[in-house]
Amino acid sequence: MSKVFPILIVLLVSLRCGLYSESASGTGKSRSELLAEIPYRGEIIGDDITGDIVETLKLVIEKMESLDKVAIFYVTEEGDLKELNGNWENGTSALKQANELWRDIDLIMTIVAYPSYSQDAVTGETSELWAIEVDHKSVSRTCRMFFNTATPIELRDLDCI
């Protein structure tokens, strides 16, 4: 009996560790479901993650001829930047698709680029605006970068709210 008890404890601990590693994977859950498990807790986004996002945005802008087209990119766990083929009507439908992409692929981040507009609260005038939204695996907030032109030459400030 005294020899069985330590073996039983080791077996239970190893089974528990195996269950945890399976549930920690991004496969099978949308981005929304993953965030529901670990809600926003006032995190500080490190320079390394911010740098990864900015470098990826540079690559995305280089790959796109213009931000006038709605596009979804993603970065796999292996670090490969890939574009998802599709034709989305607007940014909202593309963001929904990117949210679901987390179910099927182990990702580091998804990037959605889409044309939009801004409206002056005082005058009501609208102007064109282009946005890129990034969801990063280790960040519970969405990061955004906005542009005044469809063919930006330089990056703007990254806003993570």
Side-chain angles (χ1 to χ4, degrees):
M1 177 71 174
S2 62
K3 291 181 181 181
V4 174
F5 187 72
I7 293 172
L8 184 59
I9 289 191
V10 169
L11 184 61
L12 288 173
V13 168
S14 65
L15 285 174
R16 179 70 179 137
C17 290
L19 290 173
Y20 176 75
S21 65
E22 289 174 8
S23 66
S25 170
T27 304
K29 296 184 181 180
S30 70
R31 172 74 176 171
S32 301
E33 292 167 335
L34 291 170
L35 290 178
E37 292 176 0
I38 306 172
Y40 171 72
R41 291 191 172 98
E43 68 198 341
I44 296 172
I45 302 172
D47 291 340
D48 56 333
I49 293 173
T50 302
D52 286 345
I53 292 172
V54 169
E55 289 302 314
T56 302
L57 290 180
K58 286 179 186 175
L59 294 173
V60 166
I61 290 172
E62 287 175 9
K63 286 187 174 217
M64 296 183 71
E65 291 179 22
S66 169
L67 296 178
D68 278 329
K69 174 186 138 189
V70 179
I72 299 175
F73 291 84
Y74 59 93
V75 179
T76 64
E77 286 286 342
E78 293 78 30
D80 299 327
L81 176 64
K82 298 184 178 186
E83 184 173 6
L84 186 64
N85 291 324
N87 189 13
W88 298 275
E89 183 178 327
N90 54 38
T92 303
S93 61
L95 290 167
K96 286 179 185 175
Q97 179 70 40
N99 181 42
E100 293 297 318
L101 194 59
W102 293 81
R103 287 186 190 276
D104 304 323
I105 307 169
D106 285 329
L107 299 173
I108 294 176
M109 70 180 97
T110 55
I111 303 98
V112 179
Y114 58 91
S116 188
Y117 68 93
S118 65
Q119 185 171 18
D120 186 303
V122 176
T123 64
E125 291 181 32
T126 60
S127 59
E128 291 182 312
L129 179 73
W130 292 266
I132 299 179
E133 293 194 22
V134 180
D135 284 318
H136 192 282
K137 175 181 177 177
S138 60
V139 178
S140 65
R141 295 178 273 169
T142 298
C143 296
R144 294 176 180 88
M145 195 172 283
F146 298 99
F147 301 94
N148 294 326
T149 177
T151 53
I153 296 171
E154 59 186 46
L155 296 180
R156 308 290 297 262
D157 291 332
L158 186 64
D159 183 24
C160 298
I161 54 171

